[in-house]
Amino acid sequence: MSYKYVIPVVLLCFAMEAQGQILKQRKTNAESYYSDAVKETNLQHYDKAIELAYKALDAQSDYIDTELLLARLYMLTKQYDLSRKYVRRVLQKNPKYKDAYYYGINTEMTTGHYPEAECYADEALVNFPNNKEFLLKKLTILDAQHKQYRADALAEDVMDKFPEDSTTRQAYIDHYLYTGYYQQKNGNPEMARKSFDKVLVIDPKNKEAREANVGAQLQNGNLTSALESVNMGLASQPGNYDLLMRKLGILQEMHQYADALTLLQEIYRKYPNDAKARSLETPLRMEAAAYYTQTDPYSLYVSILEKNPGNREALDKVIGYSMARGAYIEALAWINRGLKGTPNDTRLLGMKMDILEADHKYSAAAAIGEILYQRAPNADMRDRLVTLESAAGKQYAQDEQYDLALASFRQGLKFSPRDTSLLGLTINTYIRIKDNNSALKAADEALSYYPSNENFLLKKATILEAMGNYEGAAKILTGLSATHPGSESLKGSLVDLRLTTARNLMKAEELDLAKEQLQAVLAVQPDNRDALDYMINMQSGTNQTDSALYYADKALAYYPNDKDLLLKKAGALQDAGRYDEAAQISAGLMERYPYTVKYRNAYTTALMAAGSDYQRRQQPDSAIAAYGKVLAINNKDSLALQSTINLLNGQQRYDSALAYTNQALRYYPDNESFLLKRAVTLENKKDYTAAAAAADTLAKKYPTAANRDYYDLLHSKTMRNQFALYYLNSTYDYTSNKYNIATVEYRRFMKRGGSYAFRLDYAGRQTGNGLQAEAELYYVHSKKAYSYGLFTYSNNIVFPNYRAAYSLFYTFPHSVEAEIGARYLKVDSITNYSAVASIAKPFGDFWVNFRAYFISESPKTYTAFNLTTRYYTDAQHQNFLSLIGGLGTSPDDRSRLINYPELAGLLTRSVAAGYQMVLKYRTTLGVYGTWINSKISDQQYYNQYDLYFVLMRKF
C-alpha cells in the first residue's frame, strides 16, 4: 500500500472511534438530563423540567421518552398545542406507546375537542383491542358529546366483557346516571327513568339513582310508579325522613288525601319535633276538603257501578279514567271486578295484560297472553307473547331467580323456537350460573338454526374456553377470523384465548404446549407484549437462555428502552453467564431510575454473580473488583463484604482483609460471621494475642462449643512456653532388673514457627545414677520445609555417651511429607552412624509414616524399619490412637538404647499402641505400651515390655 493512503485511513479510523465515543457520551448525557427532568417534574418545577428535557433531546434527538415527557409537561402547563405536537411525534415513531394515547385523549378532553379525543381513543383501540382503560375513556368521550345511543351500546359491551370488574361497574353506573340527568334536564323523563333503571339493575341500593328515578317518574306524571319506587326505598330504610316526605307529596299529587294524612301522623310519631311536618297538616286538610267537594266524571261512573255493577259502559269508563291517570293498581282492581262476572271476556283480559305489562309484571301478563293466543292464534299475539316471556325472564335474572328466568325463556321458545333473542338469553343465563354443559347444549341448538351466526359462535367459543377446551374455542375463533379477516375484535379475541390457554398450560407446567400457543399469538401479533413476556419468562425458567435472549431482543425491537424488558434481558444474560453484559444493562437502568430499588438490586446481583464466576475461574483480583463495585453502591452489603474478606485472606493480603472486616463490624457489630472472620484474619497475620481477644469476644456473644474451642486454640497460640514430664518403665523376661527413665522438659515456641527444647533424663542403676542432657530444635525454613536437630550428652551410666541427629523434612503436593537425615551414636566402645529416610501421608482421619534406618557399626551394617499409623478422633487432629510396628533396633529408640551393646544387630520385632489427647490445646496427656521381641538364638528370645507416660502443659 502506498503511504499516501495510510494517513487518510488512519484519520478515518480515528474519526469513527471519536464519533462512537461522542455518540456514547451523548446517550449518557441524554439519559442524565432525562432523569433530572423527571425529578423536577415530580417536584412540580415544570419550567426547569422543560429546559432539561430539551437538553436531553439536543443530546439524543430520537429519545422518545423525552418527547413524551415534554407532551406531559406542556399539558400540565396548559400549553396544549405544544403537547399535541409531541404526542403526535411519539405516536409516529411508536404507535404502540400506550401513555401517548392517554396524554392525547386528556389534552383534547381538557380543551373540549371531543371528536379529536375520540379519534385518539379509536386509534388506541386499534393497537390495543379490548383494552378496558381505552374503552372506558371512549365511553367518557361519547358521554361528553351526548352521543347516547353509541354510549349505551359501548357501556353494555364493556359490561359484558368485564362483568366482575369494579372499575367497569362504576363507569357503567356513572354513565347511566349522567345520561339520566341529561335526559331529565332536556324534558325526556321516560328515557331518564330507563337510564336510572339500568343503574338500579347493577346496584339496587343506589340512593342517587332511586331518588332520580322517582323525580323522573314525577316529571312524567307517572305517580303510581313514583310511589312504588319510594315504597321500595322505605322497605330498606323504613324511617328515612326524605323518603317519607317524598311519599307524602306523591300521595298529595294523587289526591289520596286519606293515605297522606295517615302518613303525616306516622311522620309526627317518628319526628315529633319537626316543624315542617307540623306546618303541612292544615293546608293538606283544606286541599282535601276542596277536592272532595267537587264531582268529576270518574266519581260519577263509580257511583253508577255501585248501583249497577253489571253496567259495562260504566266499567269501561272507570277503567279508562284510571289508566289515563296512571292509577294502574286501581284500574286492575276494576278489571278484576269485571272478570268476576265475565271471566272469559277477551277485551278485559287484553286490558289486564296491558296493565300488567305497563306495571312491569311481565310473567303475569305473559300468562294472560298465552290464554289469548290459544283462543285465537295469530302472529301479532305470538310476537307479543315472546316479548313478554323475554321481559319476564330478564326480570327474574335481575333478581337472580335463574330457574324462573330459564323457564320463561323456554316458554317463549315454545312459541318461537328460532327467536335469536331468546336463544341468546338462554345461553347467557346458563353461562351466568356456570352451567357450562347446558350452555353448550343451548349454543349448539342455536347454531343448528343459525350455523354462521357470529354472536352464537363467539358464545360457544366462550363456553368451550370456560370448560377448558381451548383448542375447540380456538378453532371456532380461527374460523371466524378467516371469515372476517378485517375484524380486529375477532383477532383480539383469538389472541386473548390463546394467551389464556398459555397461562393455564403454564400453571399445569405444560411448558412446551404453552410455547406453541404463544408462538401462535406472535404469528398474528408479533408485538404482543404479554406473549413476549411469557416467552422470555418460560425460556429463562427452563434454562433456555439463548431463546430467552432472542425473545428479549425481539421485544425490545418493538418497545425500545422499556425498563421491564431491559431488566428481563439482564436476567437472561446473567443466567447465560454473561455477567458483565447483565451488569451493564442494569447499571443503565439504575442511572435512569436512581431511586428504584429493584434496578439497584438487579445491578448488585449481576455484580455478585460476576464476582462468584471470577472466583470459580480463579481470578480473585477481578472478583474483588466486582465486589468493590457492589460496596460502592451499598457499603453495607454483607455478602460482598464476606466474599471480599475471604478472597483477601486467600491472597494473604491480611491488612486489607482486616480493614474490610472492621468495616463490616461497624455496620454489623454483633454479627457472628464477621466476628469470626476478624479472629481468623488476625490468626492468619500470626497476631495471636489480638486474634485470641477477638475469639474471646465471639465466644462470649455466641457461646457455642465451636466458638469456645476456637478461642482455646488461639489462646494456646499466645503461649510460648511448655513444660513436660515423661516417664518410661521397661521390664524384661530375661532379667529381674527394671529400668525407669524420668524426663523433665522445657520448650520454647518461636514466632515464625518451630521450637527449641531442653530436657534432662534421669535413670537409676546399681552401678550409679544415669543423667542425660538433651537439646532439641525444630526450625522452620518455609511453609514446606523445616529441620529437626538433636544433641545429647550423658555421664555414660545407663544412657549413651553422645547422640546427635539431624533431619530435613519437605512437603510435596497432596500433603506427602518426605524426610532425609543422619544419626550419630556413641555407646561405650561402639560408634554408630545411621542414615534415615521416611515418607508420610494423611488419608482422611488416618496418618501413616514409614521410616527406614541404614546403620553402620564398623565392621557391621544393619537396617531398621518403623511403620506408624495414627487415627485421629477429633476434627482438629489433636487426639489420636496410634499403632506402631518395628523391625530392628533404631538409634531413635530410647528404651532400647539402655541395653544397646547387648541388642545391637539382633533380629528384633516390636509392636506398640497408645493414645494421646489434648485438653483445650494446652494440656497433653498420653500413654503408650510396647512389646519388643529379640531373637538371641534359634531357640531363645528375649521379651521387653514398655509403658510410657506423657504430660505436657503450655503456659
Side-chain angles (χ1 to χ4, degrees), residues 306-323:
E306 288 175 351
K307 296 176 182 179
N308 185 9
N311 190 303
R312 182 57 183 269
E313 181 183 357
L315 180 63
D316 289 346
K317 291 291 186 180
V318 169
I319 294 170
Y321 281 122
S322 297
M323 292 180 67

Side-chain angles (χ1 to χ4, degrees), residues 800-840:
N801 299 80
Y802 301 100
R803 284 177 64 211
Y806 174 78
S807 286
L808 176 65
F809 294 85
Y810 189 83
T811 303
F812 293 95
H814 307 293
S815 302
V816 176
E817 184 182 79
E819 172 194 7
I820 185 169
R823 303 288 187 266
Y824 168 75
L825 178 65
K826 173 68 174 173
V827 181
D828 298 333
S829 60
I830 298 174
T831 302
N832 180 306
Y833 298 93
S834 305
V836 63
S838 74
I839 186 168

